[in-house]
Each structure stands twice: as C-alpha cells, then as structure tokens.
Amino acid sequence: MALIPLNDGEAQGPAVLEARDVRKGFQVRRGETRDVLRGVTLRVGAGERVAVVGPSGSGKSSLLYCLAGLDPVSSGSVALFGRDVASMSGAHLAREYRERVGFVFQQYNLVSTLSGFENAVLPMRLSRRRVAADVVRSVLDRLGVGDRGRALPGTMSGGEQQRFAIARALIAHPQLVFADEPTGALDSENADAVVEHLESLSSSGAALVYVTHDPSLAARADRVLVMRDGVLAAELRGADGAAVLRAMSAPRAA
Ligand code: ADP
Ligand code: MG
C-alpha cells in the first residue's frame, strides 16, 4: 500500500472531472450553516476508477452530488470534461446526463409510472438514440433482473430497483459514472455482477467514481479516497481490502 500526497493532480490523460477546493454548506437554521464539504480538490482521468469511503455523515453523498453538478457548490469549482458546471445551463447539464454522464442514486430514483425496462432505456429515449431491445435485455440479464423488465418499481425489491437504476446509468455507455453505494441493497452474488458490469464499462474507457462501505469493493478501484469530516483525509493506491479497512477505521488524525 502506498500513501500518496493528496491533490496529486498530474495524473495521466485529460481530466474528465476536476474539482478545486470544493466547499459546501447547508443552512441548518436561520443564520447558521453547517459545512459538509470543507475544501476538496480532486482530478479524475479518463477510464480511472475512484472509490470513496468514509464514515456515515462524512460527506460522501454530498461530494458526489457536487462533483456530478447536481448540487451547487458553496465555493470552489467543478469541471466536467473541461467545462465548469456552474457555467452550464440546465439544458446543457441535462444533455451531458443523456449522453456521457451516468449517476446511480442511493435512493434509485426510478420513475414510478414506467416499467423497469422503460426506466433502463429512458436516457437513450430522451436523447433520441436507438438501443436494440436485445442489448437492453442482455444487460438486464447480466444484472439478474432480465425477468423483471415489465415490473413497475413499486412492485420491486430494493435490490431489483437498484439494478434497474444501474442499468439506466450504464446502457447509454457514459464516459463518466457516479454511483452512490451501488451495491448497498444487493447480496454478494448480485453485487459481484454489478461490479463486473461497472468494471467492463471502465475497461472501455469510462471513468468511475463510486461511494461504498465495502472495503473489498473499494480495493478494486485504482484509487481509494478516504473522507472524514468533509475533507479527503487520505488517498490509497494499490491497497487491498484489509488496507482500506485500516484506513477507514484509522483515528481522525489519519
Ligand atoms: P454520507 O454520504 O457520507 O453519509 P452526506 O453527504 O449524506 O454523508 O451528509 C453529510 C452531512 O451533511 C450529514 O451530517 C448530513 O446530515 C448533512 N446534510 C446532507 N444533506 C443535507 C441537506 N440538504 N441539508 C442539511 N444537511 C445536510
Ligand atoms: Mg451517503
């Protein structure tokens, strides 16, 4: 395991994602804000796999939302594919999401009136791109939900909804995928299928940024970022699951 200094911004290749000194505060009461992100700087290159770990409440989901352009930062900047998200119109950001960015939400966010299959192809439909039904079915089969394509989200288990949410994010072949606890609702067999799918996407050049509680899943990334109290407290490269677990449970000073 190697501990690399933070802000090692000279990674190879052009950045698909670049965040500089990102801060995020939420107003908790009138005149009182709570700083959830306290200066995060990060660069992700094409095809890179980055895992984010850290205790509950450390700001992992907030970070992902800010990096993905879905929540505005309080200060600092985020650029996707070299373009500052604060300068993008809503329409531009929406187009990025239809065409080259995927986000797997922790709460799935499936459209309740659409079937699983329809949810999975929604980004393609919205961007008027064609996708063969066979291709969709093979993705759903690999994720273990091939027989649930006609079901509505309300009739699915959490694990099934999660896999349709993943299919939706992946079928459009994005170049950058964010995933918040993508295997959180899955048993180990289905979690493996999801990870293999994410990794096959990454082998074809997509960058992955995912939050996980699972040290062995984090260890499959090129880099593991350890969040603590709204900052990146450590960065590991080439760590195995045991090393990730040690870094996750290290005292605050880590
Ligand atoms: P994690 O994903 O690491 O568990 P989160 O990013 O969800 O952490 O949350 C970090 C902290 O920010 C938590 O204390 C949470 O209560 C707070 N928080 C998140 N979203 C909001 C919000 N919209 N308003 C106020 N506080 C928030
Ligand atoms: Mg979270």
Side-chain angles (χ1 to χ4, degrees):
M1 178 187 87
L3 258 179
I4 309 268
L6 289 178
N7 308 339
D8 172 37
E10 306 311 314
Q12 55 295 35
V16 294
L17 167 64
E18 195 148 21
R20 289 180 191 276
D21 198 22
V22 167
R23 290 165 193 272
K24 176 75 181 173
F26 289 109
Q27 186 164 10
V28 282
R29 256 174 244 110
R30 189 183 274 267
E32 189 188 331
T33 55
R34 180 157 187 262
D35 293 328
V36 171
L37 299 176
R38 300 184 299 124
V40 174
T41 295
L42 171 67
R43 183 185 191 283
V44 178
E48 223 187 334
R49 302 173 192 173
V50 178
V52 181
V53 299
S56 179
S58 58
K60 306 179 298 296
S61 294
S62 303
L63 177 64
L64 223 53
Y65 273 70
C66 286
L67 294 179
L70 299 179
D71 207 5
V73 300
S74 301
S75 70
S77 67
V78 172
L80 295 178
F81 305 102
R83 175 134 183 203
D84 191 323
V85 295
S87 74
M88 286 183 199
S89 65
H92 185 127
L93 189 62
R95 191 169 71 235
E96 294 289 10
Y97 270 84
R98 291 194 303 268
E99 293 177 357
R100 55 179 179 174
V101 181
F103 197 110
V104 181
F105 294 92
Q106 197 165 15
Q107 300 306 329
Y108 323 132
N109 290 358
L110 297 175
V111 179
S112 63
T113 53
L114 298 180
S115 69
F117 187 98
E118 290 164 338
N119 267 283
V121 299
L122 189 58
M124 300 294 282
R125 290 269 153 80
L126 291 173
S127 61
R128 298 177 201 282
R129 280 187 289 165
R130 286 170 181 279
V131 54
D134 288 354
V135 172
V136 178
R137 279 193 212 101
S138 78
V139 171
L140 297 179
D141 279 342
R142 276 169 66 188
L143 294 172
V145 287
D147 58 345
R148 297 288 282 150
R150 290 168 185 272
L152 291 172
T155 68
M156 295 176 186
S157 70
E160 288 170 345
Q161 291 183 56
Q162 186 158 42
R163 283 171 281 167
F164 280 104
I166 287 161
R168 178 181 57 188
L170 303 188
I171 280 172
H173 279 277
Q175 293 165 40
L176 172 60
V177 179
F178 297 97
D180 198 352
E181 304 273 2
T183 63
L186 303 179
D187 59 37
S188 61
E189 192 181 323
N190 285 315
D192 280 345
V194 164
V195 172
E196 277 159 25
H197 203 97
L198 283 168
E199 287 177 349
S200 73
L201 207 67
S202 137
S203 322
S204 58
L208 306 179
V209 182
Y210 61 95
V211 171
T212 181
H213 275 113
D214 181 343
S216 59
L217 181 51
R220 292 168 76 150
D222 302 312
R223 276 194 286 164
V224 181
L225 309 177
V226 183
M227 272 207 98
R228 215 173 281 283
D229 293 333
V231 296
L232 299 182
E235 175 171 320
L236 316 178
R237 281 181 203 250
D240 61 12
V244 173
L245 186 59
R246 275 199 303 280
M248 285 166 74
S249 45
R252 273 161 187 272

